[in-house]
Amino acid sequence: IIGVGGVTSGEDVQDYLKAGADAVQVGTAFLKRGPRVFTEILARYVDLLGENSGMEDADWLWMNVRF
């Protein structure tokens, strides 16, 4: 399942994944904000994961983000 539509932040990614998505698509945000949007969204998502776990960001990144 791929979450599509309105993915503009790490919070959006978290919401889609909690709802059962295996991945998310970033479309319009890329067109409006350019390639940096991917780094911004991923960085915020990793921050959110760290806030909820007490683990280091890098640990969460490799455990939860699939490329």
Side-chain angles (χ1 to χ4, degrees):
I1 297 173
I2 300 173
V4 177
V7 179
T8 62
S9 68
E11 288 84 358
D12 295 332
V13 171
Q14 188 175 52
D15 291 344
Y16 272 104
L17 295 177
K18 282 183 178 180
D22 296 307
V24 297
Q25 174 185 314
V26 177
T28 303
F30 170 70
L31 294 175
K32 290 182 177 182
R33 293 165 42 193
R36 73 174 191 272
V37 72
F38 300 110
T39 303
E40 293 169 354
I41 291 173
L42 181 59
R44 178 60 184 144
Y45 175 63
V46 170
D47 286 345
L48 291 169
L49 292 173
E51 290 171 9
N52 295 321
S53 72
M55 293 181 70
E56 295 296 321
D57 289 349
D59 294 332
W60 272 107
L61 174 63
W62 296 117
M63 289 175 62
N64 291 283
V65 178
R66 295 177 298 275
F67 295 95

